[in-house]
Amino acid sequence: MNRRETLKLMGAGAVAVGVASPVSAAFSGPSLASLGRKRGIGFGSALSGNSLDKAAYVRLLASECSLLTAENALKWKYLEPYDGERTYGDARALADYAELRGLRQRGHCFVWNHHDRMPRWLINTAASLRTGDTSKLTRRMWRHGAFLAREFPGIHSWDALNEAVDPWTGELRETELTRLLGNRLVDLSFRILSQKYPDTELVYNDTMNWEASQLHKNGVLRLLERAIKRGVPIDALGIQSHIGKTLGRPRDELAWRKFLEEVQGLGLDVLITEFDCSDQNIIKRDAAIRDAETAAFSKGYLDLTLSFPNVRDVVVWSLSDGESYMNRQSYPEYRWRTDELPLRGHAYDKRLRPKPMRDAIALSLANAPDRA
Ligand code: XIL
């Protein structure tokens, strides 16, 4: 049986075994998707290829979500590890799954202005070119955009450009891509996708949240403002919202409100694209205390952010602690807890039992003002 057939069976099986499944608690009340839908807000999660093989988790995801982001599978470096050589990895399976369950698909991400996050060969190609000699690079960008649109036509929203601003300077991050293209990197990322996906929402996505520095917030605003002036077809700002850094410390909430007002003033929609809340800074080891604190912090953040009616979707960066990138070896060590306990940054624990953060998200969605 191939993976596609297995997925079909899992889809059918979810109805039959839902009651006895370990996630049955999640089915007892309204789902996060339905709470969001009542207010006009989409709710979804990232999903990795590995998690797709876990039946109980995938059932939970399908019951809670109306949209899905492939966590890594659609990133350029995985789709084209060598110049002109494509590998699909889990991208096909994830797209098939989303289609099967009627989940809207967010594409993440077309261009990521970060050397480590792009195909090595592409960065090497760019590094070999002289300033002004950009066609070899731009041809590859067009080719990749065409490939995405041909192979993954069902995507309703794309992060056309990810993390272009350097949080330490507020300017475009200096990479081989910006050395050659400067602001044209912004224009091209959006123009290519708008031509290849004329009906798809196009998003600038950044590591933004209420803990970002003023320099970073201003840098993002400047990028958006200038891009709009140049006529770049940008529909929305994606605020990643990996929060928790300032938990228990001072933070300027007024500045966050002001930032959201300015984005609204630019006429852009906003999406929360990668929400989670790290408990790295909570010294206590007790899980109940950590969960209560991250839930309260999350609720504060979501209540404030969702009070802006141009915030359209909430996507969490996985639904459970067990599937979280925070608890993978690849997660940077400086972000681990000093006691090295697994991080508890998500709405469900690793046994898929709902945590207070699940209630926090539910309440924030239920209490958000109605979207038009
Ligand atoms: C992360 C994934 O979750 C990890 O599995 C991977 O190793 C690195 O990327 N900002 C983004 C996401 O835009 O793509 C990142 O996802 C998290 C930070």
Side-chain angles (χ1 to χ4, degrees), residues 165 183 186-187 190 204 217-234 236-237 259 262-268:
V165 175
N183 278 321
V186 181
D187 303 38
F190 282 88
Y204 172 67
K217 287 197 283 274
N218 288 344
V220 167
L221 283 173
R222 211 161 39 234
L223 177 139
L224 295 171
E225 212 171 350
R226 289 181 183 168
I228 290 168
K229 270 206 192 109
R230 294 198 301 277
V232 175
I234 173 167
L237 169 66
F259 173 80
E262 300 225 27
V263 177
Q264 192 176 34
L266 292 173
L268 294 173

PDB file of all heavy atoms in Angstrom, residues 165 183 186-187 190 204 217-234 236-237 259 262-268:
ATOM      1  N   VAL A 165      14.325  40.904   6.980  1.00  0.00           N
ATOM      2  CA  VAL A 165      14.898  41.991   7.778  1.00  0.00           C
ATOM      3  C   VAL A 165      15.831  41.431   8.855  1.00  0.00           C
ATOM      4  O   VAL A 165      15.504  40.440   9.519  1.00  0.00           O
ATOM      5  CB  VAL A 165      13.768  42.819   8.445  1.00  0.00           C
ATOM      6  CG1 VAL A 165      14.343  43.876   9.387  1.00  0.00           C
ATOM      7  CG2 VAL A 165      12.891  43.474   7.386  1.00  0.00           C
ATOM      8  N   ASN A 183      16.702  45.588  -2.831  1.00  0.00           N
ATOM      9  CA  ASN A 183      15.244  45.530  -2.653  1.00  0.00           C
ATOM     10  C   ASN A 183      14.526  44.745  -3.742  1.00  0.00           C
ATOM     11  O   ASN A 183      13.371  44.360  -3.579  1.00  0.00           O
ATOM     12  CB  ASN A 183      14.661  46.946  -2.629  1.00  0.00           C
ATOM     13  CG  ASN A 183      14.805  47.550  -1.262  1.00  0.00           C
ATOM     14  OD1 ASN A 183      14.626  46.863  -0.252  1.00  0.00           O
ATOM     15  ND2 ASN A 183      15.155  48.827  -1.207  1.00  0.00           N
ATOM     16  N   VAL A 186      12.815  41.611  -2.708  1.00  0.00           N
ATOM     17  CA  VAL A 186      11.436  41.715  -2.213  1.00  0.00           C
ATOM     18  C   VAL A 186      10.486  41.712  -3.414  1.00  0.00           C
ATOM     19  O   VAL A 186       9.551  40.905  -3.491  1.00  0.00           O
ATOM     20  CB  VAL A 186      11.247  43.006  -1.386  1.00  0.00           C
ATOM     21  CG1 VAL A 186       9.834  43.107  -0.846  1.00  0.00           C
ATOM     22  CG2 VAL A 186      12.291  43.092  -0.266  1.00  0.00           C
ATOM     23  N   ASP A 187      10.760  42.603  -4.356  1.00  0.00           N
ATOM     24  CA  ASP A 187       9.873  42.739  -5.518  1.00  0.00           C
ATOM     25  C   ASP A 187       9.732  41.416  -6.264  1.00  0.00           C
ATOM     26  O   ASP A 187       8.625  40.980  -6.578  1.00  0.00           O
ATOM     27  CB  ASP A 187      10.421  43.800  -6.486  1.00  0.00           C
ATOM     28  CG  ASP A 187      10.610  45.152  -5.806  1.00  0.00           C
ATOM     29  OD1 ASP A 187      11.028  45.164  -4.638  1.00  0.00           O
ATOM     30  OD2 ASP A 187      10.337  46.172  -6.446  1.00  0.00           O
ATOM     31  N   PHE A 190       7.683  38.479  -4.661  1.00  0.00           N
ATOM     32  CA  PHE A 190       6.239  38.668  -4.764  1.00  0.00           C
ATOM     33  C   PHE A 190       5.762  38.627  -6.209  1.00  0.00           C
ATOM     34  O   PHE A 190       4.729  38.033  -6.515  1.00  0.00           O
ATOM     35  CB  PHE A 190       5.825  39.978  -4.086  1.00  0.00           C
ATOM     36  CG  PHE A 190       5.786  39.845  -2.592  1.00  0.00           C
ATOM     37  CD1 PHE A 190       6.922  40.064  -1.832  1.00  0.00           C
ATOM     38  CD2 PHE A 190       4.619  39.462  -1.954  1.00  0.00           C
ATOM     39  CE1 PHE A 190       6.899  39.919  -0.452  1.00  0.00           C
ATOM     40  CE2 PHE A 190       4.578  39.307  -0.570  1.00  0.00           C
ATOM     41  CZ  PHE A 190       5.732  39.538   0.184  1.00  0.00           C
ATOM     42  N   TYR A 204       4.326  38.617   3.491  1.00  0.00           N
ATOM     43  CA  TYR A 204       5.694  38.797   3.981  1.00  0.00           C
ATOM     44  C   TYR A 204       5.722  38.280   5.422  1.00  0.00           C
ATOM     45  O   TYR A 204       4.984  38.759   6.290  1.00  0.00           O
ATOM     46  CB  TYR A 204       6.134  40.272   3.932  1.00  0.00           C
ATOM     47  CG  TYR A 204       7.461  40.406   4.640  1.00  0.00           C
ATOM     48  CD1 TYR A 204       8.595  39.816   4.088  1.00  0.00           C
ATOM     49  CD2 TYR A 204       7.568  41.010   5.887  1.00  0.00           C
ATOM     50  CE1 TYR A 204       9.806  39.834   4.765  1.00  0.00           C
ATOM     51  CE2 TYR A 204       8.784  41.044   6.561  1.00  0.00           C
ATOM     52  CZ  TYR A 204       9.888  40.446   5.991  1.00  0.00           C
ATOM     53  OH  TYR A 204      11.082  40.440   6.669  1.00  0.00           O
ATOM     54  N   LYS A 217      10.849  46.078  14.598  1.00  0.00           N
ATOM     55  CA  LYS A 217       9.478  46.466  14.204  1.00  0.00           C
ATOM     56  C   LYS A 217       9.535  47.576  13.148  1.00  0.00           C
ATOM     57  O   LYS A 217       8.846  47.512  12.124  1.00  0.00           O
ATOM     58  CB  LYS A 217       8.672  46.938  15.418  1.00  0.00           C
ATOM     59  CG  LYS A 217       8.269  45.788  16.356  1.00  0.00           C
ATOM     60  CD  LYS A 217       7.144  46.194  17.292  1.00  0.00           C
ATOM     61  CE  LYS A 217       7.611  47.059  18.425  1.00  0.00           C
ATOM     62  NZ  LYS A 217       8.107  46.348  19.609  1.00  0.00           N
ATOM     63  N   ASN A 218      10.374  48.592  13.407  1.00  0.00           N
ATOM     64  CA  ASN A 218      10.490  49.694  12.449  1.00  0.00           C
ATOM     65  C   ASN A 218      11.020  49.203  11.111  1.00  0.00           C
ATOM     66  O   ASN A 218      10.586  49.667  10.053  1.00  0.00           O
ATOM     67  CB  ASN A 218      11.418  50.787  12.991  1.00  0.00           C
ATOM     68  CG  ASN A 218      10.755  51.559  14.125  1.00  0.00           C
ATOM     69  OD1 ASN A 218       9.542  51.483  14.314  1.00  0.00           O
ATOM     70  ND2 ASN A 218      11.561  52.272  14.893  1.00  0.00           N
ATOM     71  N   GLY A 219      11.973  48.280  11.161  1.00  0.00           N
ATOM     72  CA  GLY A 219      12.547  47.741   9.928  1.00  0.00           C
ATOM     73  C   GLY A 219      11.491  47.032   9.078  1.00  0.00           C
ATOM     74  O   GLY A 219      11.438  47.201   7.858  1.00  0.00           O
ATOM     75  N   VAL A 220      10.655  46.255   9.751  1.00  0.00           N
ATOM     76  CA  VAL A 220       9.595  45.532   9.029  1.00  0.00           C
ATOM     77  C   VAL A 220       8.585  46.530   8.447  1.00  0.00           C
ATOM     78  O   VAL A 220       8.179  46.412   7.276  1.00  0.00           O
ATOM     79  CB  VAL A 220       8.919  44.491   9.958  1.00  0.00           C
ATOM     80  CG1 VAL A 220       7.635  43.960   9.349  1.00  0.00           C
ATOM     81  CG2 VAL A 220       9.881  43.346  10.243  1.00  0.00           C
ATOM     82  N   LEU A 221       8.216  47.521   9.248  1.00  0.00           N
ATOM     83  CA  LEU A 221       7.273  48.537   8.747  1.00  0.00           C
ATOM     84  C   LEU A 221       7.837  49.249   7.520  1.00  0.00           C
ATOM     85  O   LEU A 221       7.136  49.476   6.533  1.00  0.00           O
ATOM     86  CB  LEU A 221       6.964  49.566   9.839  1.00  0.00           C
ATOM     87  CG  LEU A 221       5.987  49.123  10.920  1.00  0.00           C
ATOM     88  CD1 LEU A 221       5.915  50.180  12.014  1.00  0.00           C
ATOM     89  CD2 LEU A 221       4.596  48.850  10.344  1.00  0.00           C
ATOM     90  N   ARG A 222       9.132  49.576   7.596  1.00  0.00           N
ATOM     91  CA  ARG A 222       9.775  50.282   6.480  1.00  0.00           C
ATOM     92  C   ARG A 222       9.772  49.406   5.227  1.00  0.00           C
ATOM     93  O   ARG A 222       9.467  49.860   4.132  1.00  0.00           O
ATOM     94  CB  ARG A 222      11.214  50.617   6.890  1.00  0.00           C
ATOM     95  CG  ARG A 222      11.742  51.881   6.269  1.00  0.00           C
ATOM     96  CD  ARG A 222      12.932  52.465   6.987  1.00  0.00           C
ATOM     97  NE  ARG A 222      13.871  51.466   7.463  1.00  0.00           N
ATOM     98  CZ  ARG A 222      14.282  51.389   8.716  1.00  0.00           C
ATOM     99  NH1 ARG A 222      13.843  52.229   9.630  1.00  0.00           N
ATOM    100  NH2 ARG A 222      15.148  50.454   9.080  1.00  0.00           N
ATOM    101  N   LEU A 223      10.089  48.130   5.412  1.00  0.00           N
ATOM    102  CA  LEU A 223      10.089  47.223   4.245  1.00  0.00           C
ATOM    103  C   LEU A 223       8.706  47.183   3.597  1.00  0.00           C
ATOM    104  O   LEU A 223       8.561  47.279   2.373  1.00  0.00           O
ATOM    105  CB  LEU A 223      10.513  45.820   4.681  1.00  0.00           C
ATOM    106  CG  LEU A 223      10.479  44.747   3.584  1.00  0.00           C
ATOM    107  CD1 LEU A 223      11.688  43.832   3.662  1.00  0.00           C
ATOM    108  CD2 LEU A 223       9.220  43.907   3.620  1.00  0.00           C
ATOM    109  N   LEU A 224       7.666  47.075   4.452  1.00  0.00           N
ATOM    110  CA  LEU A 224       6.291  46.970   3.929  1.00  0.00           C
ATOM    111  C   LEU A 224       5.880  48.253   3.219  1.00  0.00           C
ATOM    112  O   LEU A 224       5.368  48.223   2.100  1.00  0.00           O
ATOM    113  CB  LEU A 224       5.319  46.675   5.076  1.00  0.00           C
ATOM    114  CG  LEU A 224       5.488  45.326   5.773  1.00  0.00           C
ATOM    115  CD1 LEU A 224       4.600  45.262   7.022  1.00  0.00           C
ATOM    116  CD2 LEU A 224       5.158  44.171   4.832  1.00  0.00           C
ATOM    117  N   GLU A 225       6.142  49.362   3.891  1.00  0.00           N
ATOM    118  CA  GLU A 225       5.743  50.670   3.360  1.00  0.00           C
ATOM    119  C   GLU A 225       6.384  50.913   1.991  1.00  0.00           C
ATOM    120  O   GLU A 225       5.720  51.293   1.028  1.00  0.00           O
ATOM    121  CB  GLU A 225       6.235  51.723   4.341  1.00  0.00           C
ATOM    122  CG  GLU A 225       5.390  52.943   4.438  1.00  0.00           C
ATOM    123  CD  GLU A 225       5.883  53.781   5.617  1.00  0.00           C
ATOM    124  OE1 GLU A 225       6.723  53.290   6.419  1.00  0.00           O
ATOM    125  OE2 GLU A 225       5.451  54.900   5.723  1.00  0.00           O
ATOM    126  N   ARG A 226       7.691  50.660   1.915  1.00  0.00           N
ATOM    127  CA  ARG A 226       8.415  50.909   0.660  1.00  0.00           C
ATOM    128  C   ARG A 226       7.950  49.944  -0.423  1.00  0.00           C
ATOM    129  O   ARG A 226       7.824  50.322  -1.583  1.00  0.00           O
ATOM    130  CB  ARG A 226       9.922  50.755   0.875  1.00  0.00           C
ATOM    131  CG  ARG A 226      10.478  51.886   1.695  1.00  0.00           C
ATOM    132  CD  ARG A 226      11.965  51.714   1.880  1.00  0.00           C
ATOM    133  NE  ARG A 226      12.491  52.772   2.734  1.00  0.00           N
ATOM    134  CZ  ARG A 226      13.697  52.767   3.262  1.00  0.00           C
ATOM    135  NH1 ARG A 226      14.523  51.757   3.028  1.00  0.00           N
ATOM    136  NH2 ARG A 226      14.107  53.752   4.017  1.00  0.00           N
ATOM    137  N   ALA A 227       7.707  48.700  -0.040  1.00  0.00           N
ATOM    138  CA  ALA A 227       7.259  47.714  -1.040  1.00  0.00           C
ATOM    139  C   ALA A 227       5.904  48.130  -1.610  1.00  0.00           C
ATOM    140  O   ALA A 227       5.676  48.070  -2.820  1.00  0.00           O
ATOM    141  CB  ALA A 227       7.183  46.330  -0.397  1.00  0.00           C
ATOM    142  N   ILE A 228       5.011  48.579  -0.737  1.00  0.00           N
ATOM    143  CA  ILE A 228       3.674  48.992  -1.194  1.00  0.00           C
ATOM    144  C   ILE A 228       3.814  50.188  -2.149  1.00  0.00           C
ATOM    145  O   ILE A 228       3.177  50.231  -3.196  1.00  0.00           O
ATOM    146  CB  ILE A 228       2.773  49.316   0.021  1.00  0.00           C
ATOM    147  CG1 ILE A 228       2.433  48.018   0.757  1.00  0.00           C
ATOM    148  CG2 ILE A 228       1.494  50.043  -0.409  1.00  0.00           C
ATOM    149  CD1 ILE A 228       1.800  48.216   2.115  1.00  0.00           C
ATOM    150  N   LYS A 229       4.685  51.119  -1.794  1.00  0.00           N
ATOM    151  CA  LYS A 229       4.920  52.298  -2.658  1.00  0.00           C
ATOM    152  C   LYS A 229       5.432  51.887  -4.030  1.00  0.00           C
ATOM    153  O   LYS A 229       5.105  52.505  -5.038  1.00  0.00           O
ATOM    154  CB  LYS A 229       5.937  53.239  -2.002  1.00  0.00           C
ATOM    155  CG  LYS A 229       5.286  54.260  -1.130  1.00  0.00           C
ATOM    156  CD  LYS A 229       6.144  55.531  -0.985  1.00  0.00           C
ATOM    157  CE  LYS A 229       5.564  56.368   0.134  1.00  0.00           C
ATOM    158  NZ  LYS A 229       6.415  56.390   1.334  1.00  0.00           N
ATOM    159  N   ARG A 230       6.257  50.837  -4.062  1.00  0.00           N
ATOM    160  CA  ARG A 230       6.795  50.377  -5.352  1.00  0.00           C
ATOM    161  C   ARG A 230       5.781  49.522  -6.116  1.00  0.00           C
ATOM    162  O   ARG A 230       6.081  49.025  -7.198  1.00  0.00           O
ATOM    163  CB  ARG A 230       8.077  49.552  -5.135  1.00  0.00           C
ATOM    164  CG  ARG A 230       9.255  50.310  -4.589  1.00  0.00           C
ATOM    165  CD  ARG A 230      10.563  49.551  -4.807  1.00  0.00           C
ATOM    166  NE  ARG A 230      10.573  48.223  -4.192  1.00  0.00           N
ATOM    167  CZ  ARG A 230      10.865  47.994  -2.905  1.00  0.00           C
ATOM    168  NH1 ARG A 230      11.170  48.990  -2.110  1.00  0.00           N
ATOM    169  NH2 ARG A 230      10.850  46.762  -2.439  1.00  0.00           N
ATOM    170  N   GLY A 231       4.603  49.283  -5.507  1.00  0.00           N
ATOM    171  CA  GLY A 231       3.568  48.499  -6.197  1.00  0.00           C
ATOM    172  C   GLY A 231       3.768  46.992  -6.086  1.00  0.00           C
ATOM    173  O   GLY A 231       3.227  46.224  -6.879  1.00  0.00           O
ATOM    174  N   VAL A 232       4.534  46.557  -5.097  1.00  0.00           N
ATOM    175  CA  VAL A 232       4.735  45.113  -4.899  1.00  0.00           C
ATOM    176  C   VAL A 232       3.406  44.487  -4.463  1.00  0.00           C
ATOM    177  O   VAL A 232       2.742  45.013  -3.564  1.00  0.00           O
ATOM    178  CB  VAL A 232       5.829  44.880  -3.821  1.00  0.00           C
ATOM    179  CG1 VAL A 232       5.979  43.411  -3.508  1.00  0.00           C
ATOM    180  CG2 VAL A 232       7.156  45.473  -4.282  1.00  0.00           C
ATOM    181  N   PRO A 233       3.008  43.386  -5.096  1.00  0.00           N
ATOM    182  CA  PRO A 233       1.687  42.798  -4.775  1.00  0.00           C
ATOM    183  C   PRO A 233       1.686  42.024  -3.459  1.00  0.00           C
ATOM    184  O   PRO A 233       1.684  40.804  -3.435  1.00  0.00           O
ATOM    185  CB  PRO A 233       1.413  41.873  -5.961  1.00  0.00           C
ATOM    186  CG  PRO A 233       2.762  41.508  -6.485  1.00  0.00           C
ATOM    187  CD  PRO A 233       3.675  42.670  -6.192  1.00  0.00           C
ATOM    188  N   ILE A 234       1.662  42.748  -2.365  1.00  0.00           N
ATOM    189  CA  ILE A 234       1.735  42.121  -1.039  1.00  0.00           C
ATOM    190  C   ILE A 234       0.382  42.269  -0.349  1.00  0.00           C
ATOM    191  O   ILE A 234      -0.184  43.352  -0.320  1.00  0.00           O
ATOM    192  CB  ILE A 234       2.907  42.752  -0.241  1.00  0.00           C
ATOM    193  CG1 ILE A 234       2.918  42.267   1.199  1.00  0.00           C
ATOM    194  CG2 ILE A 234       2.896  44.255  -0.247  1.00  0.00           C
ATOM    195  CD1 ILE A 234       4.224  42.625   1.890  1.00  0.00           C
ATOM    196  N   ALA A 236      -0.464  40.604   2.851  1.00  0.00           N
ATOM    197  CA  ALA A 236      -0.533  40.460   4.313  1.00  0.00           C
ATOM    198  C   ALA A 236       0.852  40.364   4.928  1.00  0.00           C
ATOM    199  O   ALA A 236       1.822  39.993   4.270  1.00  0.00           O
ATOM    200  CB  ALA A 236      -1.338  39.208   4.658  1.00  0.00           C
ATOM    201  N   LEU A 237       0.886  40.682   6.213  1.00  0.00           N
ATOM    202  CA  LEU A 237       2.085  40.456   7.020  1.00  0.00           C
ATOM    203  C   LEU A 237       1.867  39.199   7.862  1.00  0.00           C
ATOM    204  O   LEU A 237       0.834  39.066   8.536  1.00  0.00           O
ATOM    205  CB  LEU A 237       2.326  41.655   7.952  1.00  0.00           C
ATOM    206  CG  LEU A 237       3.397  41.429   9.025  1.00  0.00           C
ATOM    207  CD1 LEU A 237       4.789  41.258   8.410  1.00  0.00           C
ATOM    208  CD2 LEU A 237       3.408  42.581  10.037  1.00  0.00           C
ATOM    209  N   PHE A 259       2.354  49.121  16.611  1.00  0.00           N
ATOM    210  CA  PHE A 259       2.854  48.424  15.424  1.00  0.00           C
ATOM    211  C   PHE A 259       1.678  47.860  14.615  1.00  0.00           C
ATOM    212  O   PHE A 259       1.592  48.051  13.394  1.00  0.00           O
ATOM    213  CB  PHE A 259       3.803  47.291  15.851  1.00  0.00           C
ATOM    214  CG  PHE A 259       4.240  46.399  14.722  1.00  0.00           C
ATOM    215  CD1 PHE A 259       5.259  46.797  13.864  1.00  0.00           C
ATOM    216  CD2 PHE A 259       3.641  45.160  14.506  1.00  0.00           C
ATOM    217  CE1 PHE A 259       5.664  45.969  12.807  1.00  0.00           C
ATOM    218  CE2 PHE A 259       4.042  44.335  13.456  1.00  0.00           C
ATOM    219  CZ  PHE A 259       5.055  44.746  12.609  1.00  0.00           C
ATOM    220  N   GLU A 262      -0.168  50.486  12.804  1.00  0.00           N
ATOM    221  CA  GLU A 262       0.542  50.963  11.598  1.00  0.00           C
ATOM    222  C   GLU A 262       0.369  49.984  10.444  1.00  0.00           C
ATOM    223  O   GLU A 262       0.189  50.388   9.298  1.00  0.00           O
ATOM    224  CB  GLU A 262       2.031  51.162  11.909  1.00  0.00           C
ATOM    225  CG  GLU A 262       2.231  52.176  13.016  1.00  0.00           C
ATOM    226  CD  GLU A 262       3.324  53.164  12.705  1.00  0.00           C
ATOM    227  OE1 GLU A 262       3.587  53.413  11.524  1.00  0.00           O
ATOM    228  OE2 GLU A 262       3.912  53.679  13.676  1.00  0.00           O
ATOM    229  N   VAL A 263       0.424  48.690  10.747  1.00  0.00           N
ATOM    230  CA  VAL A 263       0.234  47.693   9.678  1.00  0.00           C
ATOM    231  C   VAL A 263      -1.187  47.811   9.122  1.00  0.00           C
ATOM    232  O   VAL A 263      -1.405  47.772   7.901  1.00  0.00           O
ATOM    233  CB  VAL A 263       0.487  46.261  10.203  1.00  0.00           C
ATOM    234  CG1 VAL A 263       0.229  45.229   9.114  1.00  0.00           C
ATOM    235  CG2 VAL A 263       1.917  46.123  10.723  1.00  0.00           C
ATOM    236  N   GLN A 264      -2.128  47.998  10.028  1.00  0.00           N
ATOM    237  CA  GLN A 264      -3.526  48.179   9.605  1.00  0.00           C
ATOM    238  C   GLN A 264      -3.648  49.417   8.712  1.00  0.00           C
ATOM    239  O   GLN A 264      -4.334  49.401   7.689  1.00  0.00           O
ATOM    240  CB  GLN A 264      -4.399  48.327  10.848  1.00  0.00           C
ATOM    241  CG  GLN A 264      -5.889  48.236  10.586  1.00  0.00           C
ATOM    242  CD  GLN A 264      -6.661  48.290  11.906  1.00  0.00           C
ATOM    243  OE1 GLN A 264      -6.239  48.978  12.846  1.00  0.00           O
ATOM    244  NE2 GLN A 264      -7.755  47.571  11.981  1.00  0.00           N
ATOM    245  N   GLY A 265      -2.948  50.479   9.112  1.00  0.00           N
ATOM    246  CA  GLY A 265      -2.952  51.719   8.335  1.00  0.00           C
ATOM    247  C   GLY A 265      -2.398  51.534   6.922  1.00  0.00           C
ATOM    248  O   GLY A 265      -2.752  52.274   6.008  1.00  0.00           O
ATOM    249  N   LEU A 266      -1.538  50.533   6.758  1.00  0.00           N
ATOM    250  CA  LEU A 266      -0.985  50.272   5.420  1.00  0.00           C
ATOM    251  C   LEU A 266      -1.983  49.489   4.556  1.00  0.00           C
ATOM    252  O   LEU A 266      -1.721  49.213   3.383  1.00  0.00           O
ATOM    253  CB  LEU A 266       0.322  49.472   5.527  1.00  0.00           C
ATOM    254  CG  LEU A 266       1.522  50.187   6.149  1.00  0.00           C
ATOM    255  CD1 LEU A 266       2.690  49.217   6.347  1.00  0.00           C
ATOM    256  CD2 LEU A 266       1.965  51.344   5.258  1.00  0.00           C
ATOM    257  N   GLY A 267      -3.109  49.102   5.168  1.00  0.00           N
ATOM    258  CA  GLY A 267      -4.137  48.371   4.413  1.00  0.00           C
ATOM    259  C   GLY A 267      -3.835  46.888   4.257  1.00  0.00           C
ATOM    260  O   GLY A 267      -4.407  46.221   3.397  1.00  0.00           O
ATOM    261  N   LEU A 268      -2.934  46.370   5.099  1.00  0.00           N
ATOM    262  CA  LEU A 268      -2.571  44.956   4.977  1.00  0.00           C
ATOM    263  C   LEU A 268      -3.360  44.088   5.945  1.00  0.00           C
ATOM    264  O   LEU A 268      -3.720  44.535   7.037  1.00  0.00           O
ATOM    265  CB  LEU A 268      -1.083  44.764   5.286  1.00  0.00           C
ATOM    266  CG  LEU A 268      -0.093  45.391   4.314  1.00  0.00           C
ATOM    267  CD1 LEU A 268       1.332  45.257   4.863  1.00  0.00           C
ATOM    268  CD2 LEU A 268      -0.198  44.725   2.937  1.00  0.00           C
TER     269      LEU A 268
END
